[in-house]
Amino acid sequence: MDKQENKKPRVVIIGGGFGGVQLAKKLKNAPIEVLLLDKHNYHTFQPLLYQVATGAIEADSIGFPIRRIFGRQKNFTFHLANVDNIDTVNSVVETTAGNYNYDYLVIATGANTNFFGNQELEHYTMPMKNIAEALNIRSLILQNLEKALVTADKAERDALLTFVIVGGGPTGVELAGAISELREYVLCKDYPALCNADMKVYLVEGKDELLAAMSTPASVKAKEFLQKMDVTIYNGVHVSSYNGSILKIDNGTIINTKNVLWAAGVKGEVPTGMPEQTVAKGGRLITDEINRVKGYNNVFAIGDVSAVQSEANPGGFPGVAQVALQQGRHLAKNLQAIISGKATTPFVYHDLGTMATIGRNKAVADIKKFKFQGFFAWLLWMFVHLLSLAGFSNKAIVFLNWAINYLTRNSDNRLIIRYFKTDTMTVDTIPH
Amino acid sequence: MDKQENKKPRVVIIGGGFGGVQLAKKLKNAPIEVLLLDKHNYHTFQPLLYQVATGAIEADSIGFPIRRIFGRQKNFTFHLANVDNIDTVNSVVETTAGNYNYDYLVIATGANTNFFGNQELEHYTMPMKNIAEALNIRSLILQNLEKALVTADKAERDALLTFVIVGGGPTGVELAGAISELREYVLCKDYPALCNADMKVYLVEGKDELLAAMSTPASVKAKEFLQKMDVTIYNGVHVSSYNGSILKIDNGTIINTKNVLWAAGVKGEVPTGMPEQTVAKGGRLITDEINRVKGYNNVFAIGDVSAVQSEANPGGFPGVAQVALQQGRHLAKNLQAIISGKATTPFVYHDLGTMATIGRNKAVADIKKFKFQGFFAWLLWMFVHLLSLAGFSNKAIVFLNWAINYLTRNSDNRLIIRYFKTDTMTVDTIPH
C-alpha cells in the first residue's frame, strides 16, 4: 500500500478520457490530492478514431500524453496502471502498479464494444474503441486491398473488396462514408489494377433509420448522402452470424466479405469489484443525480460508464463526450462541496448539439433548434473537432492533414505499421 | 506464375528503400516493365528512426506509401510481398504474393541489425532498423520510466533508469544524445517524482573513437558534446553479455540496466537462394563496378546489401543513403544501356558529405573539405533531412514537430501505442 504524503483527502480517478481529465483539471486549486490511473499514458480523442482507421490522419494526432496535460498541476499524480479490482470495503483500488487507498473514488472508465455475448462476432469482426483497434482496421483495409491485387480467384477477390459496417450510429455512418470515399478517390489512383473491380460498401443498422439519436432531417439526409455515395444500406435488420467469410443478416441476405467493422453497440467498462446491483442495462453504473454510485457515499461514476437515474432525467444521458465533460466539471464542484461540508447540486445536462460527418462537404448537424446538413455543417464539424483536440501540435497537424487530403483527395497516412494476421485476428508480434 | 502483359523486358526490384525507389523512378520513361516488391507498403526514411524511438516525431512522418510515390508512373507496379526464395536458374522470384519471373533482378533489400551470432544479445537488446522497432524502443523507454515511478526497490529502479547504447556510429551517437536530452528537458517536467533520481546514459563503442567513419574533428567534438551532456562513454571495449538485467563489458565493467539499445552493426539482408560464393563479409552481395552480382548477367545489387569490389574502390562504399541513391540512379542508366545494347559505365561515388546530430544546436558535419561542428552543422543537418523526406505533408509535419520541440523543449509524441512485453521481448497482440 502506498503512503499518503499529507492529510488532504485523496480522489482517485480511474480513466483519462473526457470525463476523468476534465474532473482532474477542475480540481486544480482544490485542497485535494488527485491521482489519475489509466492503462494508457495518453488521452484519446475518440471522435476521430474513424479517420485513423481509414488513413486520413495519424494515430499520434488523436492521442495526447496525460502527463503533458497536467505538467504544471501540483496536486496531480498520474500512474500507468490496469485496475485489477476495487475493494470498496477498505476503499482500495488494486492495480498492476500497486494498491491505492482513496477517500473518494471516481470511475470514469468509459465504454467498450458490445458484441451482446456473440463470441463469433467478437472474434471475427473489427471493433474500434481505441487507437490500437483503429490501426488494426487501417492495416486490415490496406492488407486486403493488397491481397485483392494478387488474388486470381474472383469470389475471393470480391470478398476482400467487400466492406460491411454494422451499426448506423455516428461511428458507423462516418466509417461507411470514409470507406466509400477511399473507393471514390483513392482506389483508381493507388490501385489502378483494382479500378474496375467491384468494391462494395454496406451499412447494416437494426433501427429503421440511421443516426437514430439525431433529428429526422439529419437521419434522412445522412441516408441520402450515403446512398448517393453508393453505400448499400440495410435498415431494421440484424447480423445473425459471421464466420470470417460469410455474413448472414436476419432478412435472409448473405454477404461474402473479409471486412466486417463492428460499431453496433457499447457497454460500460465496469471495473471488477463493483457489486452486481450497481450495474444497470448496458453495463453502466447506476448513479444518483450527483453521479454517486448507488449504495455508496464515496464512489462516483461519470461519462459513458455511468447511468444517471433521476426523476428529472428518467432516460439518462447519451454516451457522448459532452456528457462526460460536463459531468467531470460538475463533479469537481460537488466533490469540493462534500469535502468542505457544503450542499451539492444535481447535474444538469446542457445539450450543445450533435453532429456527424459523412464525407467531403457532407455532414449533418442538430444544434439546439437548428437542423442543417451539407457544406456548412461539414465546416462546423471540422472547426469544432479541431478546436477540441488537445494540444497545439495535434490541432496543427490534423488541420494540415485535412487540408492536404481535401486538396489532393488522397492521404500520405496509409501505412501498414501493425501487421494484422487475418488467420488469428491478432497483431504480428514480430517487428514488421 | 504471373503473365507478362507485353514483351517489354521486366525489371523486378526487391526493396523500396532509397536505392530501389530511386532506380524505379529513374526507369520512368524507359521501355521497361518495373515491378517493385517490398514487405512494407511504405518507404522508410531511416535516418530519422532515432527521433521516432525517442518520441520527437511521429512514426507516420517517416513512412511514405510507395503507391503514392509512383501514382503517375505507367510502367510501374508495386506488390506487397515477402520474398521466400530467388530461383536464379529459372529467373523467378518466389514470394508470399506469388511468383514473378524477371529479365533483370535488382536486389535492394538493405541491411538489418547484426548481433554477430550472439543469441542472448539478439533476444534482450533492442535493435532499430525499421519503424516497428523504433516504436518498440519508444514504448520500452516510456514503460520503464512509468515502472520506475512505482518501483520501491532502489536497485530495480536504478536499472529501469539506466540506458545503454551499444555502437558509436551515427545511430548510437544520435540515440545517446536524444535520450540524454529526454533526461535534461523532460524528466523533471513529466515525471517530477523522478527528477532527483539518477537516470544514467552510457555509450559503448568498440573502436577508439566515436563516428569512426567521419573526420577526427567530428569524432572528437561528438565525444565532447556527449560528455558535456553527461553521457558516460566507453571506447575500445565490447559488450560480452547481457541477460536482460546485467550487462558485462570486456573491460570488467558491469552495468545493471533494463534498457540496452543495439546499434553496433549491420549485415546485408541477402534473400534466400543467392549462393554462398556471392556473399562477402558483412552479408553483402559481391558486385562488379556496374553493381552486377558476381557470376550473374541479369542479377544486380545496390545499396547496403551490395559490396562493390572494383580496382578503383577496393574498400567498397559506406552503408549510407547517398550510396544507395546514387547506385539506383546509375543502375537505371546502365539497365537501359544493357537493354538497348549500348556500353555500360562504371559506378562512381560522389561523396556529398556526412553529418550526425547530437542534440539541440549540436551536430557535426564533414562536407568535402569543410569540417564544422555546432549550431551551423545542426541547422544544416535539419535542413538536409527535412528536404530529403518524401512528400510535402511529411516535411511540414516534421518541421512543425521540430519547431514545437525546440520552443517547448518537450514533445507531444510520447505515446505508448504498442505495448512492449519486457518478459518475452515481444509486442502485445491484444489491442492496448
Side-chain angles (χ1 to χ4, degrees):
Chain A
M1 185 84 61
D2 65 326
K3 286 176 293 181
Q4 242 179 291
E5 276 158 27
N6 51 43
K7 295 273 168 77
K8 282 187 207 160
R10 178 194 265 184
V11 173
V12 174
I13 304 167
I14 309 176
F18 288 111
V21 164
Q22 189 66 215
L23 168 61
K25 270 185 180 175
K26 295 294 171 185
L27 291 174
K28 184 172 182 176
N29 299 314
I32 287 174
E33 188 194 331
V34 180
L35 172 66
L36 178 63
L37 305 174
D38 198 293
K39 59 182 170 177
H40 300 294
N41 75 334
Y42 55 87
H43 166 76
T44 303
F45 190 74
Q46 291 188 333
L48 291 180
L49 278 174
Y50 84 95
Q51 295 215 352
V52 172
T54 52
I57 59 175
E58 281 132 275
D60 290 33
S61 297
I62 64 163
F64 195 82
I66 289 173
R67 299 190 173 284
R68 280 277 268 166
I69 301 175
F70 295 96
R72 295 190 195 95
Q73 189 166 327
K74 293 247 166 81
N75 68 346
F76 175 87
T77 310
F78 171 75
H79 280 177
L80 183 71
N82 274 299
V83 172
D84 294 324
N85 186 47
I86 294 174
D87 173 358
T88 53
V89 176
N90 298 301
S91 293
V92 173
V93 180
E94 298 163 14
T95 84
T96 49
N99 295 345
Y100 303 94
N101 61 335
Y102 61 82
D103 296 301
Y104 300 93
L105 176 67
V106 181
I107 302 171
T109 40
N112 211 333
T113 305
N114 196 348
F115 296 98
F116 306 102
N118 188 323
Q119 295 189 337
E120 202 191 38
L121 291 175
E122 184 164 354
H123 182 72
Y124 285 112
T125 72
M126 307 290 288
M128 191 191 67
K129 285 298 285 178
N130 56 49
I131 287 179
E133 289 175 347
L135 286 174
N136 286 349
I137 293 178
R138 183 172 92 172
S139 289
L140 180 80
I141 295 172
L142 297 172
Q143 286 173 220
N144 281 349
L145 289 177
E146 295 288 344
K147 263 191 209 164
L149 267 177
V150 294
T151 300
D153 181 63
K154 188 178 178 310
E156 173 78 5
R157 190 170 65 238
D158 287 347
L160 290 164
L161 292 173
T162 298
F163 295 81
V164 181
I165 296 101
V166 188
T171 303
V173 163
E174 289 174 335
L175 273 172
I179 292 175
S180 162
E181 288 201 329
L182 272 185
R183 174 179 58 186
E184 176 82 16
Y185 300 121
V186 178
L187 198 66
C188 287
K189 266 185 217 162
D190 281 9
Y191 303 85
L194 294 176
C195 190
N196 296 315
D198 200 11
M199 177 172 158
K200 288 202 171 75
V201 185
Y202 294 91
L203 179 59
V204 181
E205 163 59 39
K207 296 206 179 72
D208 287 333
E209 68 261 43
L210 302 179
L211 302 175
M214 292 187 70
S215 67
T216 303
S219 298
V220 169
K221 196 71 187 178
K223 190 164 183 171
E224 200 186 301
F225 279 144
L226 285 171
Q227 283 171 332
K228 274 196 190 153
M229 291 159 77
D230 207 14
V231 174
T232 305
I233 300 169
Y234 291 105
N235 268 119
V237 298
H238 299 84
V239 168
S240 39
S241 70
Y242 178 58
N243 66 0
S245 295
I246 297 163
L247 180 101
K248 291 185 180 165
I249 305 180
D250 61 5
N251 65 355
T253 305
I254 290 176
I255 303 173
N256 292 307
T257 173
K258 289 289 181 187
N259 315 276
V260 180
L261 315 189
W262 188 260
V266 295
K267 59 178 181 199
E269 278 264 84
V270 177
T272 308
M274 292 306 291
E276 216 171 285
Q277 67 268 24
T278 61
V279 184
K281 220 184 107 194
R284 290 170 156 218
L285 288 164
I286 303 165
T287 77
D288 63 16
E289 58 196 11
I290 64 162
N291 280 100
R292 188 156 40 188
V293 176
K294 187 184 174 184
Y296 293 95
N297 269 321
N298 63 343
V299 181
F300 299 79
I302 57 174
D304 283 5
V305 76
S306 74
V308 179
Q309 293 193 344
S310 70
E311 280 173 31
N313 287 283
F317 302 110
V320 296
Q322 271 303 323
V323 171
L325 285 166
Q326 292 178 28
Q327 288 182 336
R329 209 174 297 148
H330 194 76
L331 184 55
K333 284 185 201 155
N334 276 338
L335 278 175
Q336 292 177 75
I338 290 168
I339 285 163
S340 55
K342 289 181 190 149
T344 59
T345 55
F347 171 71
V348 179
Y349 175 49
H350 299 281
D351 186 358
L352 298 177
T354 319
M355 288 186 280
T357 196
I358 292 99
R360 200 177 167 79
N361 304 338
K362 296 183 198 78
V364 294
D366 295 347
I367 312 293
K368 300 196 187 261
K369 286 177 195 167
F370 304 98
K371 326 284 179 203
F372 50 105
Q373 302 89 34
F375 181 70
F376 183 64
W378 177 77
L379 271 188
L380 185 69
W381 180 94
M382 286 205 299
F383 183 74
V384 166
H385 283 80
L386 260 191
L387 286 192
S388 309
L389 273 171
F392 170 74
S393 68
N394 284 347
K395 287 184 184 71
I397 289 169
V398 168
F399 176 73
L400 192 73
N401 274 304
W402 285 352
I404 291 169
N405 300 352
Y406 191 76
L407 294 172
T408 65
R409 305 189 183 216
N410 208 338
S411 149
D412 299 343
N413 296 318
R414 275 190 293 281
L415 317 179
I416 305 169
I417 57 168
R418 275 165 87 85
Y419 188 76
F420 194 77
K421 291 187 285 182
T422 42
D423 50 343
T424 56
M425 304 300 280
T426 57
V427 176
D428 209 341
T429 61
I430 304 154
H432 184 93
Chain B
M1 185 83 63
D2 66 326
K3 287 175 294 183
Q4 243 179 291
E5 276 156 27
N6 50 42
K7 296 273 169 77
K8 283 185 206 162
R10 179 194 263 181
V11 174
V12 173
I13 305 167
I14 309 176
F18 289 111
V21 164
Q22 188 67 215
L23 168 61
K25 271 185 180 175
K26 294 295 172 188
L27 291 175
K28 186 173 182 176
N29 299 314
I32 287 174
E33 187 195 332
V34 179
L35 172 65
L36 178 63
L37 305 173
D38 198 294
K39 58 183 171 176
H40 299 294
N41 74 335
Y42 55 86
H43 166 77
T44 304
F45 190 75
Q46 291 188 334
L48 291 180
L49 278 174
Y50 84 96
Q51 295 215 352
V52 171
T54 51
I57 59 174
E58 280 134 274
D60 289 33
S61 298
I62 64 162
F64 194 81
I66 289 173
R67 297 188 175 285
R68 281 275 269 167
I69 300 175
F70 294 97
R72 294 192 195 94
Q73 190 165 327
K74 291 244 168 84
N75 69 347
F76 175 86
T77 309
F78 170 73
H79 281 179
L80 182 71
N82 274 298
V83 172
D84 294 325
N85 185 48
I86 293 174
D87 172 359
T88 52
V89 176
N90 299 300
S91 293
V92 173
V93 180
E94 298 163 12
T95 82
T96 50
N99 296 345
Y100 303 94
N101 61 335
Y102 61 81
D103 297 302
Y104 300 93
L105 176 67
V106 182
I107 301 171
T109 40
N112 211 333
T113 306
N114 197 347
F115 296 98
F116 306 101
N118 187 323
Q119 295 189 339
E120 201 190 40
L121 291 175
E122 184 164 353
H123 182 72
Y124 286 112
T125 72
M126 307 289 287
M128 190 190 66
K129 284 297 285 179
N130 57 47
I131 287 180
E133 289 175 348
L135 286 174
N136 286 350
I137 292 178
R138 183 171 92 172
S139 289
L140 180 80
I141 294 172
L142 296 172
Q143 286 172 222
N144 281 349
L145 288 177
E146 295 288 343
K147 263 192 209 163
L149 266 177
V150 294
T151 300
D153 181 64
K154 190 179 177 309
E156 173 76 5
R157 190 169 65 238
D158 287 347
L160 289 165
L161 292 173
T162 299
F163 294 82
V164 181
I165 296 100
V166 188
T171 303
V173 164
E174 289 173 335
L175 273 172
I179 293 175
S180 162
E181 288 201 328
L182 272 184
R183 173 178 60 187
E184 176 84 15
Y185 300 121
V186 177
L187 198 67
C188 288
K189 267 185 217 162
D190 281 9
Y191 303 85
L194 294 176
C195 189
N196 297 316
D198 200 11
M199 179 172 158
K200 288 202 170 78
V201 184
Y202 293 92
L203 179 59
V204 181
E205 163 59 38
K207 297 205 176 71
D208 287 333
E209 69 261 43
L210 302 179
L211 302 175
M214 292 187 71
S215 67
T216 304
S219 297
V220 169
K221 195 72 189 179
K223 190 163 184 170
E224 201 186 300
F225 281 144
L226 285 171
Q227 282 171 332
K228 273 195 190 153
M229 292 159 78
D230 207 15
V231 174
T232 306
I233 299 169
Y234 292 105
N235 268 120
V237 298
H238 299 84
V239 168
S240 39
S241 70
Y242 178 59
N243 65 1
S245 296
I246 297 163
L247 180 102
K248 290 185 181 165
I249 304 180
D250 62 5
N251 65 354
T253 305
I254 289 177
I255 302 173
N256 292 306
T257 173
K258 289 288 182 186
N259 314 277
V260 180
L261 314 189
W262 189 260
V266 294
K267 58 178 180 199
E269 278 264 82
V270 177
T272 308
M274 293 304 293
E276 215 172 287
Q277 67 268 24
T278 61
V279 184
K281 219 184 110 197
R284 290 171 157 218
L285 288 165
I286 303 166
T287 78
D288 62 19
E289 60 197 8
I290 64 162
N291 281 102
R292 188 155 41 188
V293 176
K294 185 185 174 185
Y296 293 95
N297 268 321
N298 64 342
V299 181
F300 299 78
I302 56 175
D304 283 5
V305 75
S306 74
V308 179
Q309 294 193 344
S310 69
E311 279 175 32
N313 287 282
F317 303 110
V320 297
Q322 271 304 323
V323 171
L325 284 167
Q326 292 178 27
Q327 288 182 334
R329 210 174 297 151
H330 193 77
L331 184 56
K333 283 184 203 157
N334 276 337
L335 278 176
Q336 293 177 75
I338 290 168
I339 286 163
S340 56
K342 289 178 188 152
T344 59
T345 55
F347 172 72
V348 179
Y349 176 49
H350 300 281
D351 187 357
L352 299 177
T354 318
M355 289 187 278
T357 194
I358 292 99
R360 200 179 167 79
N361 306 338
K362 296 183 197 79
V364 295
D366 295 347
I367 313 293
K368 301 196 185 259
K369 285 178 193 166
F370 304 97
K371 325 283 177 202
F372 50 105
Q373 302 89 33
F375 181 71
F376 183 66
W378 177 77
L379 271 187
L380 185 70
W381 180 93
M382 285 205 298
F383 182 74
V384 167
H385 283 80
L386 260 190
L387 285 193
S388 310
L389 272 171
F392 170 75
S393 67
N394 284 347
K395 288 183 182 72
I397 289 170
V398 168
F399 176 74
L400 192 74
N401 274 305
W402 283 353
I404 291 170
N405 300 351
Y406 191 77
L407 295 172
T408 65
R409 303 187 185 219
N410 208 337
S411 149
D412 298 343
N413 297 318
R414 273 190 295 281
L415 317 178
I416 305 169
I417 57 168
R418 273 166 89 86
Y419 189 76
F420 194 76
K421 293 186 286 182
T422 43
D423 50 345
T424 56
M425 303 300 281
T426 57
V427 176
D428 209 342
T429 60
I430 303 153
H432 184 94

